């Protein structure tokens, strides 16, 4: 991050904060911010020291490991608990939290403070802030842009002997794949190969059963094959869309990639397991959310020029999408410290703070940050982040999100990992499961 890039909005940020702090007569509070336990959370702790110094409020943090994050925090919201004043909740929670009155609606606050949603990446506004979707009703500020992408062993790809062998076999250069078919060829090429005296494997992908892992991984592929959640002309009509021939082909591909090209013991893997497999030199390719890239780049074994990054490749018909990750930051309705929590959101929204957030390893969703001429070259993965965020789709954000997710987790894992039935049977079953959920909600 260049100093010029960081200083581009310091003066404006100082004026914004002067207005905020001068207007606030609230007493100093102890605020608790709840999020997942991962590297970006550590960066937020560091970033928040600025807020503490300027506001007089003290920040506490409740960070929960990802496998337990949803259960722990959704229980907190559903019970009306007082632990969290601020919540960085997953994108899929926004519908339920809005309809159940668990988040404070932020429209009036945004208008009063001059915070404009058009200043943020559009996909993050729809994904993290809006409910109903594509309506001007806001329940969060986009906080952390994230998306599933790919990391690869750039140093392995560049070896002349491997380049020559690959070109002889496939008739093209060993390079970043443009299609999922090419990605599978590369994974097969590396599977079981000996590199520097060590047996390596093709790809680390998501297969985790307990929370959301295999759904995030499978959907990341299915979108580019043509999967649609429902009929665009008739909401909640699933038949022929969820289980379309294109969707079936996508799920068959995901199972084929799992069967051919993953390391041993890959039947229940998600973010941390894939990071471990990649950093330990086991795999040529890693599927994972973009949040891992700063850590990969800094790693002593695989960092620097040894690794490269690329967005999801295209499917058979040229479609190219990627699974949205990331979160918005919300004020918890049960909090008795809402005024101080809103101060935090106003502070966080400043361009100066958003620039610093990016420099510390957070993924800003503010357009002035990501559209700055220096952004794309500020880190080796910055351009891949931009390219990936331009092609995102997301899972259901319905209030019944948890039931919808449980169904997809079971159907996908039973087929992909356990080898039960066919892809068509799995998706036909998912249509049945999801239809029952929507019938119970009175939407069908």
């Amino acid at each position: 991050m260049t100093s010029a890039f960081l200083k581009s909005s310091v003066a404006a940020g100082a004026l914004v904060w002067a207005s905020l702090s001068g207007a606030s007569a609230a007493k100093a509070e102890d605020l608790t911010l709840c999020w997942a336990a991962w590297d970006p959370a550590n960066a937020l702790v560091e970033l928040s020291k600025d807020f503490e110094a300027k506001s007089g409020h003290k920040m506490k943090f409740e960070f929960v490991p990802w496998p337990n994050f949803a259960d722990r925090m959704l229980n907190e919201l559903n019970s009306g608990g007082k632990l969290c004043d601020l919540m960085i909740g997953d994108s899929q929670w926004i519908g339920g939290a809005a309809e159940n009155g668990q988040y404070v609606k932020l429209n009036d606050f945004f208008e009063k403070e001059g915070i404009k949603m058009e200043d943020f990446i559009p996909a993050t506004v729809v994904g993290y802030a809006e409910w109903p979707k594509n309506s001007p009703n806001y329940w969060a500020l986009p906080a952390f842009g994230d998306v599933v992408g790919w990391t690869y062993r750039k140093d392995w790809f560049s070896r002349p002997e491997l380049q020559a062998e690959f070109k002889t076999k496939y008739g093209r250069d060993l390079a970043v794949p443009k299609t999922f078919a090419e990605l599978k060829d590369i994974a097969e090429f590396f599977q079981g190969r000996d590199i520097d005296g060590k047996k390596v494997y093709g790809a680390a992908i998501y297969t985790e059963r307990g929370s959301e892992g295999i759904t995030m991984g499978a959907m990341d592929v299915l979108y580019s094959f043509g999967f649609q959640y429902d009929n665009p002309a008739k909401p909640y009509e699933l038949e022929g869309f969820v289980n379309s021939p294109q969707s079936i082909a996508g799920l068959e591909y995901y199972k084929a990639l799992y069967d051919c090209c993953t390391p041993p013991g890959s039947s229940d893997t998600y973010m941390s397991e894939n990071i471990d497999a990649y950093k330990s030199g086991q795999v040529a390719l890693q599927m994972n959310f973009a949040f891992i890239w700063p850590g990969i780049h800094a790693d002593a074994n695989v960092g620097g020029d040894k690794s490269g990054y690329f967005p999801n490749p295209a499917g058979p018909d040229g479609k190219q999408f990627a699974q949205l990750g990331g979160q918005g930051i919300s004020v918890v309705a049960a909090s008795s410290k809402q005024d101080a929590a809103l101060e935090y959101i106003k502070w966080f929204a400043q361009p100066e703070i958003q620039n610093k957030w990016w420099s510390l390893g957070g993924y800003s969703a503010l357009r002035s940050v990501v559209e700055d001429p220096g952004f794309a070259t500020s880190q080796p993965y910055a351009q891949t982040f931009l390219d990936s965020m331009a092609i995102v789709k997301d899972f259901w954000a319905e209030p019944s999100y948890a039931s919808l997710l449980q169904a997809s987790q079971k159907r996908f894992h039973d087929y992909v990992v356990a080898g039960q039935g066919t892809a068509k049977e799995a998706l036909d079953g998912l249509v049945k499961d999801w239809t029952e959920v929507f019938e119970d909600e009175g939407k069908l």
Side-chain angles (χ1 to χ4, degrees), residues 284-318:
L285 301 167
Q286 177 194 187
M287 163 190 279
N288 223 326
F289 285 105
F291 84 89
I292 73 161
W293 292 339
I296 294 296
H297 181 60
D299 187 77
N301 295 321
V302 299
D305 291 339
K306 293 181 180 178
S307 289
Y309 315 90
F310 63 91
N312 241 15
D317 298 327

Side-chain angles (χ1 to χ4, degrees), residues 4 17 24 63 68 76 87 114 132 157 160 171 208 211 220-222 262 289 309 314 332 346 350 353 357 367 419 436:
W17 182 258
S24 174
F63 297 147
N68 311 110
E76 181 69 20
M87 176 80 75
F157 277 45
E208 181 261 359
S211 61
D220 188 58
V221 170
L222 264 64
T262 55
F289 285 105
Y309 315 90
V332 177
K346 182 172 182 179
Q350 296 173 86
I353 299 304
W357 181 220
R367 291 178 61 185
E436 289 176 356

Side-chain angles (χ1 to χ4, degrees), residues 234-296:
K234 187 176 181 182
Y236 308 113
E237 181 179 59
L238 313 180
E239 182 66 40
F241 296 90
V242 170
N243 58 348
S244 68
Q246 294 86 354
S247 301
I248 292 167
L251 191 56
E252 289 173 340
Y253 172 93
Y254 199 71
K255 177 172 175 54
L257 187 62
Y258 169 75
D259 287 341
C260 78
C261 304
T262 55
S266 294
S267 62
D268 192 32
T269 58
Y270 198 19
M271 294 178 282
S272 61
E273 291 83 5
N274 285 9
I275 292 171
D276 291 343
Y278 188 83
K279 285 187 175 181
S280 63
Q282 292 184 54
V283 292
L285 301 167
Q286 177 194 187
M287 163 190 279
N288 223 326
F289 285 105
F291 84 89
I292 73 161
W293 292 339
I296 294 296

